[in-house]
Amino acid sequence: MDLVVTGVGDVDADGFDFRDELGRRGYKYLPSASQYVLAAAKRALADAGEDALTAAEPERRGAAVGTNSAATALHHAMDRTVTGAGAGELSPATAPYFSINLFGSRLATEHDLKGFNLTLTSPRIAGLEALQTGARALAAGRASRLLAGATEEALPEGEPGAETSEGGAVALLLEPAAAVAERGGRAYGRVGVRTFFLPPALAASASGAGAAAEALGDALAALGHRPGTPLTVTAVLDGSPVGEAMAHAVDESAERVPAGAGCLAPMATVAAALRSTPDTPHAVVTAAAEGNTAVCLVTPGGSGGTEASSR
């Protein structure tokens, strides 16, 4: 299915007030990460236009959300309550959110997304996986509209990665190019994602950079990019062996962005690339210390280019 991005929305935890973004009633007891993604989705839908989502029946609308740390702070608070006052003192309003899957469930309820509701949690690449997996579901005929995003809440002090915590959310609305053309809508462009695994031991070896370059080249080729054609690259990487191997794999002209603790930075980079309306395709490359690696190819404009990933 030929999908285009028609809505882009994001929110930053700094200065965020759910009452301003979502309203004063019905959101107070939602965990912050759930509030963030609801607000980002609201902005994306407003950006796309009133009929972009509702033109499809509820059964033809789906959601896919990536996160790494949405529930961590809440889990810590629950642990303190259980070991202190006892499980009977857990809040009925927040207790169900021990399950990471619930952080996107309110999104599906709020916008009548009955086609599917997916949560992805792979380290650092979960947001890009949400794009990939959601597009695959649309290609399989499970829906014709996709809200895909990433949301994170700051990690508690002392938690591994707390010093590079992320807080906020990004949401994208994707729909068939034909539907956009029919209603005279605007498209930012197309996004295609490929994921692969680079074993940390291999990344740290003498052949790590070569293996990373080969895997990245294969991924870009699968997305339709041909060697020698114009391409700009942003690499969202850490200093792990996997991150270093991928840093050597990208062109020296690539922009380097320090990776945060979660999956938000790569999605924010994709959103920025879409908004900047580049003249040439733009690749966003990211990887986690655990070996999870992804590349997203952003193709500008509403015509031509690469289809959103369905594999």
Side-chain angles (χ1 to χ4, degrees), residues 183-205:
R183 65 181 175 84
R186 173 218 53 205
Y188 284 100
R190 291 167 170 79
V191 289
V193 176
R194 286 294 186 275
T195 57
F196 55 92
F197 188 76
L198 183 64
L202 173 60
S205 71

Side-chain angles (χ1 to χ4, degrees), residues 114-125:
K114 296 183 178 180
F116 57 87
N117 181 23
L118 307 173
T119 302
L120 293 305
T121 60
S122 299
R124 189 151 298 134
I125 70 168

Side-chain angles (χ1 to χ4, degrees), residues 31 71-87 89-99 103:
T72 306
L74 181 62
H75 286 171
H76 278 237
M78 287 180 170
D79 286 345
R80 290 193 298 271
T81 299
V82 171
T83 57
E89 295 303 312
L90 289 172
S91 166
T94 57
Y97 288 88
F98 79 91
S99 170
F103 282 80

Side-chain angles (χ1 to χ4, degrees), residues 56-291:
E57 295 296 320
E59 292 76 15
R60 301 291 296 163
R61 309 172 194 167
V65 176
T67 187
N68 294 154
S69 60
T72 306
L74 181 62
H75 286 171
H76 278 237
M78 287 180 170
D79 286 345
R80 290 193 298 271
T81 299
V82 171
T83 57
E89 295 303 312
L90 289 172
S91 166
T94 57
Y97 288 88
F98 79 91
S99 170
I100 196 68
N101 293 324
L102 266 68
F103 282 80
S105 65
R106 180 64 179 266
L107 182 67
T109 301
E110 192 125 319
H111 297 292
D112 223 7
L113 311 177
K114 296 183 178 180
F116 57 87
N117 181 23
L118 307 173
T119 302
L120 293 305
T121 60
S122 299
R124 189 151 298 134
I125 70 168
L128 299 188
E129 272 193 329
L131 282 172
Q132 181 186 38
T133 308
R136 182 185 298 127
L138 263 64
R142 294 183 60 187
S144 61
R145 300 292 186 277
L146 172 66
L147 264 174
T151 186
E152 300 289 11
E153 182 171 357
L155 290 164
E157 186 176 348
E159 184 76 10
E163 67 280 359
T164 57
S165 271
E166 298 176 294
V170 174
L172 305 178
L173 178 67
L174 291 87
E175 53 182 308
V180 180
E182 184 177 347
R183 65 181 175 84
R186 173 218 53 205
Y188 284 100
R190 291 167 170 79
V191 289
V193 176
R194 286 294 186 275
T195 57
F196 55 92
F197 188 76
L198 183 64
L202 173 60
S205 71
S207 58
E214 182 178 358
L216 178 59
D218 289 346
L220 286 170
L223 291 169
H225 177 70
R226 297 294 173 258
T229 59
L231 178 71
T232 57
V233 179
T234 300
V236 185
L237 301 169
D238 59 21
S240 68
V242 176
E244 289 299 318
M246 291 306 301
H248 284 96
V250 299
D251 189 89
E252 290 184 358
S253 64
E255 178 187 9
R256 309 294 173 87
V257 175
C263 69
L264 191 56
M267 278 292 283
T269 305
V270 169
L274 286 162
R275 283 179 170 146
S276 70
T277 59
D279 295 329
T280 60
H282 187 98
V284 178
V285 178
T286 194
E290 294 85 348

